[in-house]
Amino acid sequence: MSLMRYEFMHMTTQRLYKECTKAYHDKKILTRTFEPNDQVLLYDSRLTLFHGKLSSRWSGPYIVHSVRPYGTIIFTDNNGRSFDVNGQRVKHYWAEAEIPVEKPLDLQDPPVD
């Protein structure tokens, strides 16, 4: 009887650990929503030997054409070709986004008392 009790306790402890670990990792997932005409970068996940230390694995920017269910994104490149990729390999490209300017910053030295 004690062996069955030990196995039961072990299974419940293991299940609790898995649930807590899953909740922790799910908390860290960032949800990204893409709209048509957004600019995005594509992650190049191909393994290349001697890839280069300073070369980036992000290519683009590409323009989102449409978003399909289950995370598939269709976008076009500069040549007009369209292709679809997994949404987990894509991130927003903010370099050419409009940054709102609310008021100018005063960059002078503060007065000395």
Side-chain angles (χ1 to χ4, degrees), residues 10-26:
H10 176 69
M11 287 173 34
T12 56
T13 305
Q14 185 179 14
R15 184 170 27 95
L16 286 174
Y17 173 75
K18 281 187 176 183
E19 289 174 0
C20 290
T21 306
K22 182 178 178 355
Y24 174 76
H25 288 292
D26 288 347

Side-chain angles (χ1 to χ4, degrees), residues 14-76:
Q14 185 179 14
R15 184 170 27 95
L16 286 174
Y17 173 75
K18 281 187 176 183
E19 289 174 0
C20 290
T21 306
K22 182 178 178 355
Y24 174 76
H25 288 292
D26 288 347
K27 238 183 350 183
K28 300 288 183 180
I29 295 175
L30 299 175
T31 57
R32 296 183 180 132
T33 57
F34 298 101
E35 301 293 328
N37 297 326
D38 283 350
Q39 289 188 338
V40 294
L41 296 175
L42 176 65
Y43 184 73
D44 182 18
S45 61
R46 290 180 296 172
L47 175 65
T48 56
L49 298 176
F50 306 109
H51 188 266
K53 210 174 194 183
L54 300 177
S55 60
S56 176
R57 287 190 171 255
W58 294 97
S59 63
Y62 300 103
I63 298 173
V64 175
H65 182 267
S66 64
V67 179
R68 290 185 179 167
Y70 305 110
T72 304
I73 298 175
I74 300 174
F75 48 78
T76 58

